[in-house]
Amino acid sequence: MPHEGGRNSQMPISRFFTSSGMNHDSHSSLGEVSLRFRVDRVEEDEYGYGYKMLHLSYRGSVFGKLIVKPNGYYSAFVSTHYRLVPNEYVEELLKINGLRYNVYYEQWGERALFTVKLSDDFEVAVSNSIDASLALKAYVTRVNGYNVFIPVAYRKHTRNIKPEELVELLKELRADEYKAILARLGSEDFDAKLTEALEAVLPKKDLALFKYYLATSGKVSKLEAYSRLVRLVMSSASVSIVTKIERLRAINAVFAISELIREA
């Protein structure tokens, strides 16, 4: 994994702050943002792929970090415990491990969702970001023809993060491990009462599409309904990765997926 340099390149304070040492105005990928700090020292780390981390200190204590993208724009202000994992590095790991994948970038490349095809009908997704909005996390997303959203691995962006371990874990996953969850969902009919709970989760357009699916499909199982909902959310082109994951987690709560995982 790309690692921190020796912090041997102290950045001139004048490049980032006014003569008072209080203010620094900068452009970020979200537009023009004003950042206000009291700082007396800034140190730089190289993270590979053109990324840098600025360590901000005052009176001898580092109080935060600024992530700087290869184009020189700031991405995020993060805590001292944050460890950057470039999306490019995650993609490189998938490549060198021979995994078949597609990647969707958003927010000027700050967030990434990798869809990895482990076999003909077994897929996972891996999320990551450089702006602290997404954890490095893997989810099973397709099993035996059904769309699902089952979390399988999670790595916090802290000093001990090892994305290599997560990618190795993906290679060990097998579709058979999730048959019990599918069987349990498939054995129960979808209860229309669950639609009421989904009204607080789905936007009106998706809810209308789901109700139309129920109305035209007759009796469906929980598995069929759950699969259709996951597909609806994942196929929403105008919705951010962060919002999609939030909605899918909420759908999982409605269908009690966490309980099924524990019982499996």
Side-chain angles (χ1 to χ4, degrees):
M1 175 178 172
H3 57 276
E4 301 179 33
R7 297 196 200 173
N8 55 6
S9 177
Q10 184 174 342
M11 303 298 290
I13 298 296
S14 60
R15 284 186 55 188
F16 297 95
F17 303 93
T18 64
S19 59
S20 66
M22 287 290 293
N23 300 317
H24 166 50
D25 291 327
S26 168
H27 292 282
S28 78
S29 55
L30 296 177
E32 187 166 328
V33 178
S34 180
L35 304 175
R36 182 175 290 270
F37 304 110
R38 184 181 293 275
V39 183
D40 56 21
R41 184 180 178 85
V42 180
E43 295 181 323
E44 176 188 293
D45 282 342
E46 299 281 349
Y47 267 80
Y49 304 96
Y51 292 95
K52 298 177 182 179
M53 189 83 81
L54 305 184
H55 298 250
L56 309 179
S57 302
Y58 182 65
R59 293 183 177 177
S61 297
V62 178
F63 63 85
K65 303 177 182 179
L66 277 175
I67 299 170
V68 184
K69 298 193 293 185
N71 61 7
Y73 281 52
Y74 294 148
S75 172
F77 176 81
V78 294
S79 76
T80 58
H81 302 292
Y82 186 85
R83 183 68 180 270
L84 177 66
V85 178
N87 294 319
E88 294 89 340
Y89 183 59
V90 177
E91 185 167 4
E92 182 179 331
L93 286 174
L94 295 174
K95 283 182 180 178
I96 64 178
N97 280 277
L99 295 172
R100 294 178 292 169
Y101 70 92
N102 290 310
V103 58
Y104 171 71
Y105 285 107
E106 69 176 27
Q107 196 65 25
W108 296 275
E110 295 183 359
R111 302 168 191 163
L113 187 69
F114 301 88
T115 56
V116 185
K117 195 175 183 67
L118 297 177
S119 64
D120 288 342
D121 205 13
F122 185 43
E123 298 178 10
V124 299
V126 177
S127 64
N128 188 59
S129 73
I130 63 163
D131 63 357
S133 63
L134 290 169
L136 178 62
K137 196 164 185 175
Y139 308 85
V140 171
T141 54
R142 188 167 180 82
V143 184
N144 295 344
Y146 293 100
N147 304 294
V148 297
F149 192 73
I150 302 174
V152 293
Y154 173 59
R155 299 291 185 272
K156 291 183 177 180
H157 283 81
T158 56
R159 186 175 299 277
N160 296 322
I161 189 170
K162 295 180 180 179
E164 302 87 353
E165 293 179 351
L166 184 141
V167 174
E168 284 295 325
L169 176 63
L170 297 184
K171 294 162 62 177
E172 298 173 4
L173 294 177
R174 298 293 181 269
D176 289 348
E177 299 173 25
Y178 301 92
K179 281 185 175 180
I181 297 174
L182 297 187
R184 178 69 180 276
L185 285 170
S187 67
E188 301 177 24
D189 292 337
F190 177 75
D191 187 344
K193 292 181 180 179
L194 293 179
T195 307
E196 298 177 9
L198 291 168
E199 290 179 356
V201 174
L202 297 173
K204 291 181 179 180
K205 179 181 177 181
D206 286 355
L207 185 63
L209 288 171
F210 181 63
K211 287 182 176 180
Y212 177 78
Y213 160 74
L214 293 177
T216 56
S217 300
K219 187 168 65 174
V220 299
S221 69
K222 270 189 174 182
L223 177 58
E224 291 168 321
Y226 176 66
S227 177
R228 176 55 64 107
L229 285 166
V230 173
R231 179 182 172 186
L232 271 175
V233 173
M234 292 301 290
S235 62
S236 299
S238 60
V239 178
S240 72
I241 297 171
V242 174
T243 300
K244 286 180 180 180
I245 291 176
E246 289 174 349
R247 287 178 184 169
L248 289 168
R249 286 174 177 167
I251 290 170
N252 279 359
V254 172
F255 283 78
I257 298 300
S258 295
E259 287 79 359
L260 294 178
I261 293 172
R262 285 195 292 269
E263 294 170 4

mmCIF file of all heavy atoms in Angstrom, residues 27-31 45-54 66-76 84 86-88 106-111 129-131:
data_model
loop_
_atom_site.group_PDB
_atom_site.id
_atom_site.type_symbol
_atom_site.label_atom_id
_atom_site.label_comp_id
_atom_site.label_asym_id
_atom_site.label_seq_id
_atom_site.Cartn_x
_atom_site.Cartn_y
_atom_site.Cartn_z
ATOM 1 N N HIS A 27 -9.861 26.696 -2.952
ATOM 2 C CA HIS A 27 -10.882 26.087 -3.781
ATOM 3 C C HIS A 27 -10.902 24.601 -3.497
ATOM 4 O O HIS A 27 -9.864 23.966 -3.390
ATOM 5 C CB HIS A 27 -10.582 26.305 -5.273
ATOM 6 C CG HIS A 27 -10.708 27.729 -5.671
ATOM 7 N ND1 HIS A 27 -11.924 28.334 -5.894
ATOM 8 C CD2 HIS A 27 -9.761 28.686 -5.881
ATOM 9 C CE1 HIS A 27 -11.720 29.593 -6.240
ATOM 10 N NE2 HIS A 27 -10.431 29.823 -6.245
ATOM 11 N N SER A 28 -12.076 24.037 -3.363
ATOM 12 C CA SER A 28 -12.228 22.593 -3.260
ATOM 13 C C SER A 28 -13.069 22.138 -4.433
ATOM 14 O O SER A 28 -13.568 22.939 -5.202
ATOM 15 C CB SER A 28 -12.912 22.205 -1.945
ATOM 16 O OG SER A 28 -14.301 22.434 -2.036
ATOM 17 N N SER A 29 -13.248 20.812 -4.550
ATOM 18 C CA SER A 29 -14.051 20.291 -5.654
ATOM 19 C C SER A 29 -15.520 20.622 -5.476
ATOM 20 O O SER A 29 -16.313 20.405 -6.370
ATOM 21 C CB SER A 29 -13.869 18.769 -5.745
ATOM 22 O OG SER A 29 -14.174 18.161 -4.521
ATOM 23 N N LEU A 30 -15.924 21.146 -4.335
ATOM 24 C CA LEU A 30 -17.309 21.531 -4.127
ATOM 25 C C LEU A 30 -17.538 23.001 -4.432
ATOM 26 O O LEU A 30 -18.627 23.512 -4.283
ATOM 27 C CB LEU A 30 -17.711 21.255 -2.668
ATOM 28 C CG LEU A 30 -17.703 19.794 -2.245
ATOM 29 C CD1 LEU A 30 -18.053 19.678 -0.770
ATOM 30 C CD2 LEU A 30 -18.704 19.005 -3.063
ATOM 31 N N GLY A 31 -16.501 23.687 -4.852
ATOM 32 C CA GLY A 31 -16.611 25.113 -5.094
ATOM 33 C C GLY A 31 -15.589 25.851 -4.242
ATOM 34 O O GLY A 31 -14.592 25.283 -3.815
ATOM 35 N N ASP A 45 2.967 14.875 3.659
ATOM 36 C CA ASP A 45 3.258 13.467 3.382
ATOM 37 C C ASP A 45 2.845 13.149 1.955
ATOM 38 O O ASP A 45 1.806 13.621 1.487
ATOM 39 C CB ASP A 45 2.471 12.541 4.316
ATOM 40 C CG ASP A 45 3.080 12.456 5.698
ATOM 41 O OD1 ASP A 45 4.254 12.808 5.840
ATOM 42 O OD2 ASP A 45 2.366 12.036 6.627
ATOM 43 N N GLU A 46 3.642 12.315 1.298
ATOM 44 C CA GLU A 46 3.286 11.812 -0.030
ATOM 45 C C GLU A 46 2.578 10.470 0.128
ATOM 46 O O GLU A 46 2.999 9.629 0.915
ATOM 47 C CB GLU A 46 4.552 11.623 -0.874
ATOM 48 C CG GLU A 46 5.340 12.901 -1.119
ATOM 49 C CD GLU A 46 4.729 13.762 -2.209
ATOM 50 O OE1 GLU A 46 3.818 13.243 -2.896
ATOM 51 O OE2 GLU A 46 5.149 14.914 -2.360
ATOM 52 N N TYR A 47 1.495 10.278 -0.614
ATOM 53 C CA TYR A 47 0.727 9.045 -0.513
ATOM 54 C C TYR A 47 0.684 8.256 -1.818
ATOM 55 O O TYR A 47 -0.070 7.314 -1.940
ATOM 56 C CB TYR A 47 -0.701 9.360 -0.066
ATOM 57 C CG TYR A 47 -0.881 9.272 1.421
ATOM 58 C CD1 TYR A 47 -0.476 10.318 2.242
ATOM 59 C CD2 TYR A 47 -1.432 8.151 2.020
ATOM 60 C CE1 TYR A 47 -0.633 10.252 3.612
ATOM 61 C CE2 TYR A 47 -1.594 8.069 3.388
ATOM 62 C CZ TYR A 47 -1.200 9.118 4.179
ATOM 63 O OH TYR A 47 -1.346 9.047 5.549
ATOM 64 N N GLY A 48 1.471 8.618 -2.772
ATOM 65 C CA GLY A 48 1.419 7.926 -4.045
ATOM 66 C C GLY A 48 0.251 8.386 -4.893
ATOM 67 O O GLY A 48 -0.689 9.009 -4.391
ATOM 68 N N TYR A 49 0.325 8.126 -6.180
ATOM 69 C CA TYR A 49 -0.707 8.509 -7.139
ATOM 70 C C TYR A 49 -0.942 10.024 -7.159
ATOM 71 O O TYR A 49 -1.980 10.487 -7.608
ATOM 72 C CB TYR A 49 -2.032 7.793 -6.845
ATOM 73 C CG TYR A 49 -1.907 6.290 -6.815
ATOM 74 C CD1 TYR A 49 -1.732 5.633 -5.595
ATOM 75 C CD2 TYR A 49 -1.942 5.533 -7.984
ATOM 76 C CE1 TYR A 49 -1.600 4.254 -5.547
ATOM 77 C CE2 TYR A 49 -1.814 4.160 -7.939
ATOM 78 C CZ TYR A 49 -1.632 3.525 -6.719
ATOM 79 O OH TYR A 49 -1.505 2.162 -6.680
ATOM 80 N N GLY A 50 0.002 10.787 -6.649
ATOM 81 C CA GLY A 50 -0.105 12.241 -6.667
ATOM 82 C C GLY A 50 -0.815 12.853 -5.475
ATOM 83 O O GLY A 50 -0.956 14.073 -5.389
ATOM 84 N N TYR A 51 -1.267 12.029 -4.522
ATOM 85 C CA TYR A 51 -1.980 12.547 -3.354
ATOM 86 C C TYR A 51 -1.000 12.999 -2.271
ATOM 87 O O TYR A 51 0.074 12.421 -2.107
ATOM 88 C CB TYR A 51 -2.909 11.477 -2.762
ATOM 89 C CG TYR A 51 -4.063 11.137 -3.639
ATOM 90 C CD1 TYR A 51 -4.005 10.046 -4.506
ATOM 91 C CD2 TYR A 51 -5.228 11.898 -3.621
ATOM 92 C CE1 TYR A 51 -5.065 9.726 -5.330
ATOM 93 C CE2 TYR A 51 -6.293 11.589 -4.446
ATOM 94 C CZ TYR A 51 -6.197 10.500 -5.297
ATOM 95 O OH TYR A 51 -7.259 10.192 -6.117
ATOM 96 N N LYS A 52 -1.430 14.007 -1.523
ATOM 97 C CA LYS A 52 -0.637 14.504 -0.402
ATOM 98 C C LYS A 52 -1.544 14.701 0.807
ATOM 99 O O LYS A 52 -2.751 14.892 0.681
ATOM 100 C CB LYS A 52 0.025 15.845 -0.757
ATOM 101 C CG LYS A 52 1.006 15.764 -1.909
ATOM 102 C CD LYS A 52 1.555 17.139 -2.246
ATOM 103 C CE LYS A 52 2.503 17.067 -3.443
ATOM 104 N NZ LYS A 52 3.028 18.401 -3.815
ATOM 105 N N MET A 53 -0.936 14.630 1.970
ATOM 106 C CA MET A 53 -1.648 14.902 3.204
ATOM 107 C C MET A 53 -0.884 15.984 3.953
ATOM 108 O O MET A 53 0.307 15.857 4.217
ATOM 109 C CB MET A 53 -1.728 13.645 4.064
ATOM 110 C CG MET A 53 -2.642 13.786 5.269
ATOM 111 S SD MET A 53 -4.371 13.505 4.846
ATOM 112 C CE MET A 53 -4.424 11.711 4.863
ATOM 113 N N LEU A 54 -1.576 17.080 4.272
ATOM 114 C CA LEU A 54 -0.975 18.164 5.028
ATOM 115 C C LEU A 54 -1.339 18.009 6.500
ATOM 116 O O LEU A 54 -2.520 17.967 6.856
ATOM 117 C CB LEU A 54 -1.468 19.522 4.513
ATOM 118 C CG LEU A 54 -1.279 19.811 3.025
ATOM 119 C CD1 LEU A 54 -1.723 21.235 2.713
ATOM 120 C CD2 LEU A 54 0.167 19.596 2.611
ATOM 121 N N LEU A 66 -5.279 17.804 6.001
ATOM 122 C CA LEU A 66 -5.954 18.178 4.767
ATOM 123 C C LEU A 66 -5.503 17.232 3.664
ATOM 124 O O LEU A 66 -4.299 17.044 3.454
ATOM 125 C CB LEU A 66 -5.610 19.619 4.369
ATOM 126 C CG LEU A 66 -6.390 20.751 5.024
ATOM 127 C CD1 LEU A 66 -5.814 22.099 4.579
ATOM 128 C CD2 LEU A 66 -7.868 20.681 4.655
ATOM 129 N N ILE A 67 -6.472 16.636 2.971
ATOM 130 C CA ILE A 67 -6.150 15.775 1.836
ATOM 131 C C ILE A 67 -6.071 16.637 0.589
ATOM 132 O O ILE A 67 -6.985 17.414 0.295
ATOM 133 C CB ILE A 67 -7.220 14.691 1.656
ATOM 134 C CG1 ILE A 67 -7.292 13.813 2.897
ATOM 135 C CG2 ILE A 67 -6.933 13.843 0.412
ATOM 136 C CD1 ILE A 67 -8.477 12.866 2.905
ATOM 137 N N VAL A 68 -4.973 16.517 -0.143
ATOM 138 C CA VAL A 68 -4.769 17.285 -1.370
ATOM 139 C C VAL A 68 -4.719 16.320 -2.550
ATOM 140 O O VAL A 68 -3.930 15.374 -2.557
ATOM 141 C CB VAL A 68 -3.464 18.107 -1.316
ATOM 142 C CG1 VAL A 68 -3.332 18.970 -2.573
ATOM 143 C CG2 VAL A 68 -3.427 18.976 -0.067
ATOM 144 N N LYS A 69 -5.576 16.543 -3.533
ATOM 145 C CA LYS A 69 -5.645 15.666 -4.696
ATOM 146 C C LYS A 69 -4.502 15.972 -5.670
ATOM 147 O O LYS A 69 -3.840 17.003 -5.562
ATOM 148 C CB LYS A 69 -6.996 15.839 -5.383
ATOM 149 C CG LYS A 69 -8.165 15.452 -4.489
ATOM 150 C CD LYS A 69 -9.453 15.336 -5.267
ATOM 151 C CE LYS A 69 -9.920 16.668 -5.804
ATOM 152 N NZ LYS A 69 -11.250 16.571 -6.468
ATOM 153 N N PRO A 70 -4.281 15.081 -6.636
ATOM 154 C CA PRO A 70 -3.196 15.292 -7.599
ATOM 155 C C PRO A 70 -3.281 16.618 -8.349
ATOM 156 O O PRO A 70 -2.254 17.166 -8.756
ATOM 157 C CB PRO A 70 -3.341 14.104 -8.563
ATOM 158 C CG PRO A 70 -3.933 13.036 -7.717
ATOM 159 C CD PRO A 70 -4.891 13.745 -6.801
ATOM 160 N N ASN A 71 -4.492 17.152 -8.530
ATOM 161 C CA ASN A 71 -4.635 18.431 -9.235
ATOM 162 C C ASN A 71 -4.422 19.637 -8.331
ATOM 163 O O ASN A 71 -4.591 20.780 -8.757
ATOM 164 C CB ASN A 71 -6.018 18.517 -9.904
ATOM 165 C CG ASN A 71 -7.165 18.449 -8.900
ATOM 166 O OD1 ASN A 71 -6.960 18.466 -7.694
ATOM 167 N ND2 ASN A 71 -8.389 18.374 -9.413
ATOM 168 N N GLY A 72 -4.064 19.378 -7.060
ATOM 169 C CA GLY A 72 -3.787 20.461 -6.135
ATOM 170 C C GLY A 72 -4.993 20.960 -5.372
ATOM 171 O O GLY A 72 -4.872 21.822 -4.489
ATOM 172 N N TYR A 73 -6.178 20.423 -5.667
ATOM 173 C CA TYR A 73 -7.387 20.832 -4.965
ATOM 174 C C TYR A 73 -7.536 20.046 -3.664
ATOM 175 O O TYR A 73 -7.193 18.871 -3.605
ATOM 176 C CB TYR A 73 -8.622 20.589 -5.835
ATOM 177 C CG TYR A 73 -8.850 21.627 -6.902
ATOM 178 C CD1 TYR A 73 -7.851 21.980 -7.799
ATOM 179 C CD2 TYR A 73 -10.076 22.257 -7.028
ATOM 180 C CE1 TYR A 73 -8.059 22.927 -8.785
ATOM 181 C CE2 TYR A 73 -10.308 23.204 -8.020
ATOM 182 C CZ TYR A 73 -9.284 23.531 -8.886
ATOM 183 O OH TYR A 73 -9.494 24.467 -9.858
ATOM 184 N N TYR A 74 -8.072 20.698 -2.658
ATOM 185 C CA TYR A 74 -8.335 20.013 -1.406
ATOM 186 C C TYR A 74 -9.548 19.105 -1.564
ATOM 187 O O TYR A 74 -10.522 19.445 -2.224
ATOM 188 C CB TYR A 74 -8.596 21.007 -0.274
ATOM 189 C CG TYR A 74 -7.409 21.840 0.101
ATOM 190 C CD1 TYR A 74 -7.569 23.135 0.565
ATOM 191 C CD2 TYR A 74 -6.124 21.338 -0.022
ATOM 192 C CE1 TYR A 74 -6.478 23.906 0.898
ATOM 193 C CE2 TYR A 74 -5.026 22.097 0.310
ATOM 194 C CZ TYR A 74 -5.204 23.394 0.766
ATOM 195 O OH TYR A 74 -4.115 24.150 1.095
ATOM 196 N N SER A 75 -9.509 17.952 -0.881
ATOM 197 C CA SER A 75 -10.629 17.033 -0.888
ATOM 198 C C SER A 75 -11.402 17.080 0.424
ATOM 199 O O SER A 75 -12.623 17.153 0.422
ATOM 200 C CB SER A 75 -10.147 15.601 -1.135
ATOM 201 O OG SER A 75 -11.195 14.684 -0.969
ATOM 202 N N ALA A 76 -10.690 17.031 1.556
ATOM 203 C CA ALA A 76 -11.381 16.987 2.840
ATOM 204 C C ALA A 76 -10.445 17.345 3.971
ATOM 205 O O ALA A 76 -9.222 17.173 3.869
ATOM 206 C CB ALA A 76 -11.980 15.600 3.078
ATOM 207 N N LEU A 84 -5.321 7.699 4.428
ATOM 208 C CA LEU A 84 -5.805 7.788 3.051
ATOM 209 C C LEU A 84 -5.558 6.485 2.301
ATOM 210 O O LEU A 84 -4.463 5.920 2.345
ATOM 211 C CB LEU A 84 -5.109 8.940 2.332
ATOM 212 C CG LEU A 84 -5.436 9.137 0.851
ATOM 213 C CD1 LEU A 84 -6.889 9.557 0.686
ATOM 214 C CD2 LEU A 84 -4.512 10.179 0.240
ATOM 215 N N PRO A 86 -6.025 5.666 -1.598
ATOM 216 C CA PRO A 86 -6.438 6.156 -2.913
ATOM 217 C C PRO A 86 -7.315 5.145 -3.653
ATOM 218 O O PRO A 86 -7.069 3.936 -3.587
ATOM 219 C CB PRO A 86 -5.105 6.363 -3.643
ATOM 220 C CG PRO A 86 -4.102 6.577 -2.552
ATOM 221 C CD PRO A 86 -4.554 5.675 -1.445
ATOM 222 N N ASN A 87 -8.326 5.630 -4.325
ATOM 223 C CA ASN A 87 -9.171 4.740 -5.127
ATOM 224 C C ASN A 87 -8.344 4.015 -6.185
ATOM 225 O O ASN A 87 -8.629 2.867 -6.532
ATOM 226 C CB ASN A 87 -10.286 5.542 -5.793
ATOM 227 C CG ASN A 87 -11.264 6.111 -4.791
ATOM 228 O OD1 ASN A 87 -11.641 5.459 -3.825
ATOM 229 N ND2 ASN A 87 -11.692 7.352 -5.006
ATOM 230 N N GLU A 88 -7.331 4.703 -6.683
ATOM 231 C CA GLU A 88 -6.458 4.098 -7.697
ATOM 232 C C GLU A 88 -5.735 2.863 -7.154
ATOM 233 O O GLU A 88 -5.457 1.915 -7.888
ATOM 234 C CB GLU A 88 -5.431 5.118 -8.186
ATOM 235 C CG GLU A 88 -6.022 6.293 -8.950
ATOM 236 C CD GLU A 88 -6.407 7.451 -8.049
ATOM 237 O OE1 GLU A 88 -6.579 7.240 -6.826
ATOM 238 O OE2 GLU A 88 -6.538 8.569 -8.554
ATOM 239 N N GLU A 106 -17.425 9.086 -8.823
ATOM 240 C CA GLU A 106 -18.221 10.296 -8.750
ATOM 241 C C GLU A 106 -17.510 11.309 -7.856
ATOM 242 O O GLU A 106 -16.489 11.006 -7.246
ATOM 243 C CB GLU A 106 -19.628 10.002 -8.212
ATOM 244 C CG GLU A 106 -19.676 9.595 -6.763
ATOM 245 C CD GLU A 106 -21.111 9.419 -6.263
ATOM 246 O OE1 GLU A 106 -22.004 9.118 -7.083
ATOM 247 O OE2 GLU A 106 -21.325 9.578 -5.045
ATOM 248 N N GLN A 107 -18.076 12.483 -7.787
ATOM 249 C CA GLN A 107 -17.506 13.582 -6.992
ATOM 250 C C GLN A 107 -16.058 13.843 -7.430
ATOM 251 O O GLN A 107 -15.138 13.896 -6.635
ATOM 252 C CB GLN A 107 -17.571 13.254 -5.492
ATOM 253 C CG GLN A 107 -17.381 14.447 -4.554
ATOM 254 C CD GLN A 107 -18.502 15.455 -4.691
ATOM 255 O OE1 GLN A 107 -19.602 15.128 -5.083
ATOM 256 N NE2 GLN A 107 -18.211 16.694 -4.385
ATOM 257 N N TRP A 108 -15.872 14.000 -8.751
ATOM 258 C CA TRP A 108 -14.554 14.275 -9.325
ATOM 259 C C TRP A 108 -13.519 13.206 -8.946
ATOM 260 O O TRP A 108 -12.361 13.495 -8.678
ATOM 261 C CB TRP A 108 -14.067 15.661 -8.904
ATOM 262 C CG TRP A 108 -14.934 16.755 -9.423
ATOM 263 C CD1 TRP A 108 -14.870 17.364 -10.652
ATOM 264 C CD2 TRP A 108 -16.031 17.389 -8.757
ATOM 265 N NE1 TRP A 108 -15.848 18.314 -10.787
ATOM 266 C CE2 TRP A 108 -16.574 18.362 -9.633
ATOM 267 C CE3 TRP A 108 -16.601 17.225 -7.500
ATOM 268 C CZ2 TRP A 108 -17.663 19.153 -9.293
ATOM 269 C CZ3 TRP A 108 -17.693 18.010 -7.164
ATOM 270 C CH2 TRP A 108 -18.201 18.964 -8.051
ATOM 271 N N GLY A 109 -13.976 11.975 -8.891
ATOM 272 C CA GLY A 109 -13.073 10.864 -8.614
ATOM 273 C C GLY A 109 -12.797 10.622 -7.147
ATOM 274 O O GLY A 109 -11.997 9.742 -6.810
ATOM 275 N N GLU A 110 -13.465 11.363 -6.264
ATOM 276 C CA GLU A 110 -13.204 11.199 -4.837
ATOM 277 C C GLU A 110 -13.862 9.942 -4.269
ATOM 278 O O GLU A 110 -13.383 9.377 -3.290
ATOM 279 C CB GLU A 110 -13.681 12.432 -4.066
ATOM 280 C CG GLU A 110 -12.894 13.689 -4.430
ATOM 281 C CD GLU A 110 -13.307 14.895 -3.606
ATOM 282 O OE1 GLU A 110 -14.217 14.757 -2.768
ATOM 283 O OE2 GLU A 110 -12.719 15.966 -3.809
ATOM 284 N N ARG A 111 -14.977 9.518 -4.859
ATOM 285 C CA ARG A 111 -15.687 8.336 -4.391
ATOM 286 C C ARG A 111 -15.709 7.288 -5.498
ATOM 287 O O ARG A 111 -15.810 7.632 -6.669
ATOM 288 C CB ARG A 111 -17.124 8.696 -3.979
ATOM 289 C CG ARG A 111 -17.197 9.740 -2.905
ATOM 290 C CD ARG A 111 -18.608 10.260 -2.748
ATOM 291 N NE ARG A 111 -18.645 11.449 -1.903
ATOM 292 C CZ ARG A 111 -19.664 12.289 -1.842
ATOM 293 N NH1 ARG A 111 -20.742 12.071 -2.588
ATOM 294 N NH2 ARG A 111 -19.620 13.339 -1.052
ATOM 295 N N SER A 129 -13.495 5.875 -0.645
ATOM 296 C CA SER A 129 -13.452 7.307 -0.951
ATOM 297 C C SER A 129 -12.178 7.910 -0.391
ATOM 298 O O SER A 129 -11.524 7.328 0.475
ATOM 299 C CB SER A 129 -14.663 8.031 -0.337
ATOM 300 O OG SER A 129 -14.522 8.129 1.071
ATOM 301 N N ILE A 130 -11.833 9.085 -0.906
ATOM 302 C CA ILE A 130 -10.695 9.819 -0.362
ATOM 303 C C ILE A 130 -11.165 11.049 0.411
ATOM 304 O O ILE A 130 -10.332 11.819 0.900
ATOM 305 C CB ILE A 130 -9.715 10.254 -1.474
ATOM 306 C CG1 ILE A 130 -10.405 11.230 -2.442
ATOM 307 C CG2 ILE A 130 -9.164 9.050 -2.217
ATOM 308 C CD1 ILE A 130 -9.455 12.018 -3.293
ATOM 309 N N ASP A 131 -12.491 11.230 0.516
ATOM 310 C CA ASP A 131 -13.007 12.408 1.208
ATOM 311 C C ASP A 131 -13.717 12.057 2.516
ATOM 312 O O ASP A 131 -14.456 12.867 3.065
ATOM 313 C CB ASP A 131 -13.958 13.189 0.298
ATOM 314 C CG ASP A 131 -15.200 12.383 -0.081
ATOM 315 O OD1 ASP A 131 -15.306 11.199 0.319
ATOM 316 O OD2 ASP A 131 -16.075 12.935 -0.776
#
